[in-house]
Amino acid sequence: MSDSKPIIELRHVDKSFGPFQALTDINFSVRPGERVVVCGPSGSGKSTMIRCINQLETHDAGSITVDGIELGDDTSDIRAVRQEVGMVFQQFNLFPHLTVLENLTIGPIRVRKMGKAAAEALARNYLERVHIPEQADKYPSQLSGGQQQRVAIARSLCMEPRIMLFDEPTSALDPEMIGEVLEVMVELANTGMTMVCVTHEMGFARRVADTMVFMEGGRIVEVAPPEEFFTNPKSNRARMFLDQILEH
Amino acid sequence: MRQKRFKLHWLDYVIAAVVIAFAAVIWFRISGALNYKWQWDRIPNYILRWDADDGRWYANLLLQGLINTIRIALYSSVLALVLGTVLGIARTANNLAIRMLARTYLEVLRNIPPVVVVFIFFFFLSEQLISALNMESWARGIARQDDIAVWEFFFGDMRRFPSLISGVIVLALFESAFVGEIVRAGIQSVGRGQREAARSIGMTWVDEMRFIVLPQALRRVLPPMSNQFISLVKDSSIISLISVQELTYKTVELVASTRMIFEAWITTACLYFILCFGLSLLFRRLETSAPKH
Ligand SMILES: Nc1ncnc2c1ncn2[C@@H]1O[C@H](COP(=O)(O)OP(=O)(O)O)[C@@H](O)[C@H]1O
Ligand SMILES: [Mg+2]
């Protein structure tokens, strides 16, 4: 596994918002099947980095290659990559005017050009996987936060992506609902899915991560296996950060 | 909650007295000083006319006008909605040239009096379009056919078809600017996260608009949109200036031939009021019963 070709590769990536440099010289790669957890203080550029992977943000310099496609100005390339890369947002971003089932099938039907019946079968299968098969005909607003986030995960999975990105998927949830979402994510990790998760759930990180990435000030400060990262972080920054969040 | 009681205050009596006195003075001046002869009894005949020879009722001037107003309002609102949606999308486009073009259109329409806009659209656009499409002779051809009931149901007198169509176009172009602003507000009210979610599953821009943004945007702007529709019904009277045979035009005709100035205009005002107030009650009803997703 360690010598297989990277499925995501960022080289010397820079990104600015106006005068503010959000990412500086990001070098980072992910192998197929690898589970990467990204952490770091708020504003350190974690979201910006993973949003560059599916080009919700465009990078200013450097190169990003996903599944063999180098991301540039070609919109059809970007769409091709987005079909292979699922994304789960902090705020769920379910489509409120569509039922749960429609939220799940719209991608397969409109993007993958799948038939309606096949798409629904697929959607029900993934709803089963996230443990809410009975909510198919409800609207997102009728579900709890934890259920909504699991629908959002299922919506991404319905596109049968090779890579899943998570941007603080549990940060907007009430504490009692965090567990059910993490459980689904652990199950997903166990299927061998390539995952990049921005999260501060260190228990989850310990359980599933192959690699920890620590960011600060728009730079990657440390990349290490979790045992090493949690017990003996190389950088002072990471140590201080861990002390802070593990206190709770 | 306690019901508000329907109890008259002394101020209510004063206001009522003032209103009645004012109406009486006007009435007195018209019938007394102007020596005006009221002929209210003739008005119903200009709405519905009984034809003794055929033994059936016919719509006369005012009702014909009202029906045409309704036709024009329906067609031009559909056209205005289409144009307005395009404009609204253009107003939120990333491309600067597209955005400026849409903005210019809006500002021009906002800052020119409607009457001038109507004449300009009429002479520069719809007249040209109608002659380019050779619509005059096409419509006359239809009018000569035997079985034109369906055509007449939708468009009234087919010989007047080109005039009706140019009225519809002019009105739609005029209203589209305002519809466009409403659509823009609706599009901007759809959160960035929605669009990012659509994009992140690989949707094209067109699909993102069609299935995610516009359905939510249009649902949210239903109340201002229905107000705009009522405005459109009222604004339609302005195209009487380009001889479209709608209610206002027909009233002018009626007044010219019968001299029943006050009766005719009051009746027309009532017809517009019933139509618009009825619509606003209907929309309010629909809004409260619409699903909230
Ligand atoms: N669209 C944007 N416009 C301007 N600044 C932004 C934008 N998105 C993020 N930033 C800035 O970039 C920095 C990194 O943001 P982000 O990647 O969201 O950090 P994190 O996810 O680690 O909290 C922050 O300082 C943020 O204010
Ligand atoms: Mg973030």
Side-chain angles (χ1 to χ4, degrees):
Chain A
M1 185 163 117
S2 57
D3 49 26
S4 60
K5 237 176 117 237
I7 192 167
I8 304 173
E9 188 162 33
L10 284 73
R11 286 169 158 276
H12 307 298
V13 169
D14 292 335
K15 165 76 184 171
S16 300
F17 294 107
F20 177 77
Q21 184 145 8
L23 296 178
T24 310
D25 194 28
I26 298 289
N27 290 285
F28 168 59
S29 63
V30 180
R31 286 167 282 114
E34 188 175 358
R35 274 96 52 165
V36 178
V37 168
V38 181
C39 62
S42 168
S44 58
K46 308 178 296 294
S47 298
T48 308
M49 182 180 78
I50 72 163
R51 287 158 58 85
C52 279
I53 296 173
N54 66 354
Q55 291 286 289
L56 288 182
E57 304 287 358
T58 53
H59 53 297
D60 302 336
S63 73
I64 301 178
T65 310
V66 180
D67 206 11
I69 300 176
E70 179 166 348
L71 297 170
D73 294 331
D74 189 332
T75 51
S76 66
D77 273 357
I78 292 173
R79 268 207 309 282
V81 163
R82 284 174 179 166
Q83 292 180 39
E84 299 305 322
V85 180
M87 182 153 201
V88 176
F89 301 87
Q90 185 174 346
Q91 301 296 340
F92 329 139
N93 295 345
L94 293 177
F95 305 129
H97 61 301
L98 302 179
T99 63
V100 166
L101 198 66
E102 289 165 343
N103 264 277
L104 267 59
T105 55
I106 192 161
I109 291 173
R110 296 296 160 193
V111 181
R112 293 249 190 251
K113 310 294 177 200
M114 196 182 270
K116 188 161 181 261
E120 286 187 357
L122 181 78
R124 289 190 191 279
N125 177 33
Y126 279 111
L127 278 181
E128 199 94 45
R129 289 261 299 267
V130 299
H131 316 300
I132 35 176
E134 71 285 358
Q135 311 287 2
D137 299 316
K138 289 197 180 160
Y139 282 89
S141 59
Q142 295 168 300
L143 304 183
S144 73
Q147 291 173 325
Q148 289 190 44
Q149 192 60 301
R150 286 184 282 153
V151 171
I153 293 172
R155 176 177 67 183
S156 292
L157 292 176
C158 277
M159 291 298 292
E160 314 221 277
R162 300 193 56 200
I163 302 165
M164 284 287 287
L165 308 175
F166 293 83
D167 191 359
E168 304 204 31
T170 56
S171 298
L173 294 176
D174 292 336
E176 73 272 16
M177 292 172 185
I178 291 176
E180 64 196 49
V181 172
L182 291 179
E183 183 195 332
V184 166
M185 289 171 65
V186 170
E187 287 166 9
L188 185 62
N190 291 337
T191 66
M193 175 69 77
T194 307
M195 292 166 69
V196 180
C197 311
V198 175
T199 182
H200 292 162
E201 293 296 332
M202 290 303 143
F204 169 79
R206 274 184 219 268
R207 275 177 78 188
V208 309
D210 298 310
T211 309
M212 295 297 300
V213 171
F214 176 73
M215 291 185 71
E216 185 172 58
R219 294 173 188 273
I220 292 182
V221 176
E222 186 158 350
V223 178
E227 320 78 75
E228 199 180 311
F229 181 75
F230 287 114
T231 53
N232 187 22
K234 283 197 288 288
S235 62
N236 253 337
R237 296 289 194 187
R239 190 184 313 262
M240 278 162 56
F241 174 76
L242 282 175
D243 283 349
Q244 247 174 27
I245 62 166
L246 293 180
E247 254 169 36
H248 307 297
Chain B
M1 226 167 53
R2 210 155 56 91
Q3 281 259 298
K4 209 180 239 173
R5 272 206 282 144
F6 195 78
K7 190 164 165 258
L8 292 176
H9 193 252
W10 63 267
L11 189 61
D12 297 315
Y13 291 109
V14 173
I15 293 171
V18 169
V19 169
I20 290 167
F22 184 72
V25 167
I26 300 271
W27 188 272
F28 178 75
R29 281 204 47 87
I30 291 170
S31 47
L34 292 177
N35 205 3
Y36 189 81
K37 201 162 143 285
W38 293 92
Q39 309 175 57
W40 277 109
D41 53 309
R42 289 177 63 195
I43 284 291
N45 192 39
Y46 287 104
I47 296 173
L48 274 177
R49 180 174 60 86
W50 171 255
D51 191 317
D53 298 340
D54 287 6
R56 51 175 281 207
W57 291 97
Y58 281 95
N60 207 349
L61 287 176
L62 292 178
L63 187 58
Q64 285 170 8
L66 181 68
I67 292 171
N68 262 341
T69 290
I70 293 170
R71 284 189 184 114
I72 290 163
L74 285 178
Y75 304 151
S76 51
S77 63
V78 171
L79 189 56
L81 186 65
V82 172
L83 293 173
T85 303
V86 172
L87 263 177
I89 292 171
R91 289 274 278 138
T92 59
N94 285 328
N95 183 301
L96 182 70
I98 293 176
R99 231 167 38 228
M100 288 306 290
L101 214 61
R103 176 78 196 271
T104 308
Y105 183 74
L106 173 83
E107 293 298 347
V108 165
L109 279 191
R110 256 190 192 161
N111 294 292
I112 294 179
V115 177
V116 178
V117 173
V118 164
F119 278 123
I120 289 181
F121 277 149
F122 178 63
F123 290 115
F124 287 82
L125 282 171
S126 62
E127 278 278 81
Q128 307 306 319
L129 192 67
I130 279 163
S131 60
L133 294 179
N134 211 3
M135 214 179 267
E136 294 275 0
S137 62
W138 177 82
R140 252 181 276 128
I142 300 272
R144 273 197 297 272
Q145 290 170 8
D146 293 329
D147 189 23
I148 56 169
V150 176
W151 288 99
E152 295 212 316
F153 176 79
F154 285 108
F155 302 112
D157 184 352
M158 280 310 285
R159 286 164 305 174
R160 299 275 185 198
F161 180 80
S163 154
L164 181 93
I165 290 302
S166 63
V168 166
I169 293 173
V170 165
L171 193 59
L173 286 172
F174 178 64
E175 299 290 332
S176 65
F178 305 101
V179 174
E181 277 307 277
I182 296 173
V183 172
R184 178 187 62 82
I187 290 175
Q188 286 174 344
S189 79
V190 176
R192 209 167 72 125
Q194 289 291 307
R195 313 187 64 156
E196 289 180 348
R199 259 172 249 174
S200 73
I201 54 176
M203 277 197 178
T204 60
W205 179 85
V206 172
D207 280 354
E208 172 189 332
M209 275 291 163
R210 185 169 151 210
F211 297 110
I212 307 303
V213 179
L214 288 180
Q216 294 186 60
L218 293 180
R219 214 170 293 200
R220 248 172 256 184
V221 299
L222 227 45
M225 206 63 103
S226 29
N227 282 338
Q228 192 61 42
F229 179 65
I230 292 169
S231 290
L232 182 146
V233 173
K234 288 185 294 178
D235 293 346
S236 72
S237 85
I238 209 174
I239 58 174
S240 62
L241 290 173
I242 53 172
S243 305
V244 181
Q245 313 263 311
E246 44 66 76
L247 183 54
T248 302
Y249 186 89
K250 291 287 192 188
T251 310
V252 172
E253 262 187 8
L254 178 62
V255 169
S257 58
T258 64
R259 307 243 144 252
M260 295 193 291
I261 305 171
F262 293 101
E263 295 90 331
W265 285 114
I266 289 171
T267 307
T268 294
C270 290
L271 291 175
Y272 275 118
F273 181 84
I274 292 167
L275 183 58
C276 293
F277 192 62
L279 282 171
S280 93
L281 290 181
L282 175 74
F283 291 144
R284 240 177 276 170
R285 187 74 164 270
L286 291 179
E287 257 163 53
T288 47
S289 64
K292 298 263 188 301
H293 288 299

